[in-house]
Amino acid sequence: MSRGKRIPIALTVAGSDSGGGAGIQADLKTFASLGVHGTSAITCLTAQNPKAVLGVEASSPEMVRQQLVAVFSQLPPQAVKTGMLYSAGIIRVIAKFFNKTGRPQLIVDPVMISTSGARLLKASALELVKNQLMPLATLVTPNLSEAEILIGAKLESPEDMRRAAREVYQRFGCAALVKGGHLRGSKEAIDIFYDGKNELLLSAPFLKCAKLHGTGCTYSAAITAYLAKGHGLQQAVALGKEYITQAIANCYLAADHSVLNTLPAKRGRSC
């Protein structure tokens, strides 16, 4: 990259993963691999590794607000994503900050439970995500279990996913990407996108890799990066699907754990 070249900026508002596989760490790696400068507002410290979350310590809502102010005052992002938000107080601060004209495109990844089963969103905060944050979003990216919680119905087929994406749009006024990577009996990793007018069915071969950590964070971060680079929403989602598919296919081993490959130069598959 030539000296002085201006590059896009993206912001992640999420928790820190001490194991480096998800959260802020996954988001910043993804931004960097796509040529986007990554900024962050850390909502929580977590003590975790690929197998378990040992502890969570939330930032104060005021500290989250100050991080947002600091970033926007000198490094205004073209696109923003949220991940682990954890508490009602943090969500109120974020919603208030972004509830203004001229805000950048906002991707909400409604993180609720970790891959290992730990709760990453307090039960008391769920209604605030739905009522205050999602109406501000350009796109929300729930996995199957998160979509079931958002609409209050089981999702067991691609047709159920289509209905869920439409219901999310109708209820909250934002485009939806319902991710079906854990859909039982499916031979493909199917995701459904709906924005009120257009519907996309995004599919890729289901890769029987070892259990991977941080796929949802990385997928939404890739979409955010492509939006920051000027792509339209549909194209950013399609490119994000390609990105996460390659990151899974080219996964590598760190110690004995499979890790998504978000390096700019893709390696051959080694796990």
Side-chain angles (χ1 to χ4, degrees):
M1 183 179 295
S2 62
R3 184 178 179 183
K5 180 178 179 181
R6 192 181 299 271
I7 67 170
I9 300 169
L11 166 66
T12 170
V13 184
S16 172
D17 174 5
S18 54
I24 291 286
Q25 287 80 357
D27 295 342
L28 293 178
K29 285 189 287 186
T30 301
F31 292 164
S33 77
L34 290 170
V36 172
H37 178 73
T39 59
S40 62
I42 298 176
T43 58
C44 296
L45 296 177
T46 71
Q48 67 174 296
N49 55 46
K51 285 187 173 290
V53 177
L54 306 182
V56 174
E57 185 171 316
S59 301
S60 70
E62 176 59 16
M63 187 59 180
V64 174
R65 188 193 69 80
Q66 288 184 5
Q67 290 177 82
L68 294 173
V69 170
V71 170
F72 272 79
S73 68
Q74 296 295 319
L75 294 161
Q78 283 76 49
V80 179
K81 67 154 287 190
T82 65
M84 177 185 180
L85 301 179
Y86 193 62
S87 74
I90 290 171
I91 293 165
R92 287 191 186 97
V93 162
I94 294 168
K96 182 178 180 180
F97 189 88
F98 286 103
N99 189 18
K100 55 189 176 185
T101 58
R103 65 178 181 267
Q105 296 186 87
L106 177 64
I107 308 304
V108 173
D109 187 11
V111 175
M112 298 178 190
I113 299 173
S114 73
T115 303
S116 60
R119 181 173 287 278
L120 303 180
L121 179 70
K122 289 185 176 181
S124 59
L126 176 60
E127 291 305 308
L128 287 172
V129 170
K130 293 194 289 186
N131 297 329
Q132 292 193 18
L133 191 60
M134 287 176 58
L136 303 177
T138 302
L139 175 72
V140 62
T141 62
N143 61 28
L144 284 178
S145 60
E146 292 160 351
E148 288 175 347
I149 291 169
L150 290 175
I151 69 168
K154 289 290 290 181
L155 305 182
E156 298 177 334
S157 69
E159 190 59 34
D160 289 344
M161 292 170 60
R162 289 185 67 202
R163 285 195 291 268
R166 290 171 180 267
E167 188 161 347
V168 167
Y169 175 80
Q170 290 165 1
R171 286 191 187 188
F172 306 109
C174 55
L177 176 68
V178 178
K179 301 172 294 186
H182 297 103
L183 190 65
R184 289 185 180 181
S186 178
K187 295 181 179 179
E188 293 184 306
I190 295 172
D191 307 325
I192 302 292
F193 167 83
Y194 182 69
D195 66 359
K197 295 181 180 179
N198 305 293
E199 181 181 83
L200 298 177
L201 187 153
L202 303 160
S203 65
F206 187 79
L207 300 169
K208 294 183 179 180
C209 294
K211 197 170 188 179
L212 284 163
H213 180 53
T215 54
C217 301
T218 301
Y219 194 172
S220 58
I223 294 169
T224 306
Y226 284 120
L227 288 173
K229 295 174 78 170
H231 294 280
L233 182 58
Q234 286 188 67
Q235 187 179 21
V237 168
L239 289 169
K241 176 68 169 180
E242 293 177 12
Y243 183 92
I244 190 61
T245 300
Q246 289 300 311
I248 294 169
N250 296 313
C251 65
Y252 56 88
L253 292 174
D256 295 324
H257 301 285
S258 295
V259 179
L260 290 167
N261 189 343
T262 56
L263 298 174
K266 303 298 184 183
R267 297 175 179 175
R269 185 176 175 186
S270 56
C271 64

